[in-house]
Amino acid sequence: MSSGSALRLHVCAAAVAVVALVGTGCSGGGGGGASAAEPSPSSTGSATGTTPSSSPTPLYPTNAAGCHPNEDWSREETLSWLRLETVTPDDITSDGNEVRIRKSSDGFDGPLCKPVSVQVEVWKLTYGSADGREPARDRTKPKPDYYFSMQSVKRSELRVDGTEEKAVPLPGKLYAADRSVCVGALIAVYVGKPLTAKELPEEIDIGGSASDVGTAFGDNIEFRTERVAVEDLSEPAAPHVCSPEGKPTADPADVPDPAAPGLPDPRYPTDRPSFDIDDILRPSPSF
């Protein structure tokens, strides 16, 4: 899938099946800590020695009790800390991949004094062509090229404070190399109770490798809530060969890639050009 392409998908409301299993501001913290890199042991100094001049400024220094006070944190402050600590796999395969929430570096990013309730949830996305589907509810918008349904296949509830690393293995079958070309997967790491159907995405914009630059240029998963700290999308291999029911209708090797050079890209709505400035300057979703 080319880095400049974008694919708008709509969720079929009747097909959403969420499995309900079980569910910086304050002193020493900072709201801008989510993008900072974790320091190496050599740069943080020892607990009893003098901190080297090259050491970064602690984001969440510990207090006399040995933890960072977070009892009065806002949700945004909690999400910022969680973004800093969460690691999702860059190359998802079935070989032991997992979502990790790291152990904090003492005196730099915790640990926290009060554990935080965190959910790690994985959904199976089944993609189907728009043929035979009902038109979009908003008739001012173009009809999408594909629809998808969501099914929650795993959710783990954790109590996290940074005193130890937490790891949630990914469902091996869902991330297997031989999964259906019409199947994708979505991970979300969020705080609080399990997400409801009203908080799930209705649209997903896919931009391929450009997502490494940022959501404005690539994958953009619009959860309808502010509780999500991190999301990770594994795209379907060949949605262009999928039926409206999400079943492969041909071998992808026998069907030209719709994003191949010299061919029109049908993943854009038909009444829009292959490049639209709105795809770059997309406004933030309102909640």
Side-chain angles (χ1 to χ4, degrees):
M1 204 170 279
S2 63
S3 62
S5 62
L7 166 62
R8 172 162 291 179
L9 306 167
H10 284 204
V11 65
C12 180
V16 174
V18 179
V19 178
L21 302 178
V22 180
T24 301
C26 95
S27 74
S35 62
E38 184 179 14
S40 62
S42 61
S43 66
T44 57
S46 64
T48 58
T50 302
T51 303
S53 58
S54 60
S55 297
T57 302
L59 294 174
Y60 305 94
T62 55
N63 58 16
C67 60
H68 181 79
N70 64 311
E71 292 85 355
D72 297 325
W73 268 6
S74 67
R75 181 167 57 190
E76 283 302 316
E77 289 168 323
T78 301
L79 291 174
S80 293
W81 182 87
L82 187 57
R83 290 187 190 104
L84 176 70
E85 303 300 345
T86 300
V87 179
T88 57
D90 293 326
D91 183 19
I92 296 177
T93 68
S94 59
D95 299 329
N97 279 292
E98 58 190 17
V99 175
R100 290 189 295 112
I101 302 178
R102 298 177 298 190
K103 179 179 179 180
S104 296
S105 300
D106 291 343
F108 186 83
D109 52 359
L112 304 180
C113 295
K114 181 180 179 181
V116 176
S117 178
V118 175
Q119 309 280 348
V120 178
E121 190 161 4
V122 183
W123 292 268
K124 175 183 178 180
L125 307 180
T126 302
Y127 291 71
S129 65
D131 295 338
R133 299 284 190 178
E134 295 181 0
R137 287 174 292 179
D138 185 349
R139 296 183 181 276
T140 64
K141 294 184 176 181
K143 188 177 181 180
D145 296 280
Y146 307 105
Y147 285 84
F148 66 93
S149 64
M150 292 181 68
Q151 178 185 4
S152 180
V153 294
K154 182 173 184 176
R155 181 176 59 79
S156 301
E157 183 170 351
L158 311 173
R159 295 289 287 171
V160 175
D161 60 6
T163 58
E164 61 180 343
E165 181 170 289
K166 304 283 188 176
V168 177
L170 299 178
K173 186 176 181 181
L174 179 58
Y175 286 92
D178 61 349
R179 76 182 184 191
S180 168
V181 297
C182 300
V183 169
L186 176 62
I187 300 168
V189 181
Y190 57 96
V191 297
K193 298 179 180 179
L195 293 177
T196 66
K198 292 181 179 180
E199 295 175 300
L200 297 180
E202 287 185 310
E203 293 186 2
I204 295 177
D205 293 337
I206 295 178
S209 60
S211 61
D212 295 337
V213 180
T215 55
F217 296 92
D219 302 341
N220 186 17
I221 302 97
E222 297 184 2
F223 281 92
R224 292 173 290 165
T225 177
E226 297 178 342
R227 296 196 286 127
V228 177
V230 178
E231 65 270 341
D232 188 286
L233 177 67
S234 176
E235 302 177 14
H240 61 283
V241 303
C242 300
S243 69
E245 295 74 31
K247 302 293 184 182
T249 60
D251 186 337
D254 299 330
V255 180
D257 184 346
L263 295 176
D265 189 347
R267 292 175 295 181
Y268 283 89
T270 55
D271 61 347
R272 295 173 66 190
S274 60
F275 179 84
D276 192 325
I277 193 63
D278 289 339
D279 292 331
I280 303 299
L281 303 178
R282 183 181 304 278
S284 299
S286 58
F287 299 94

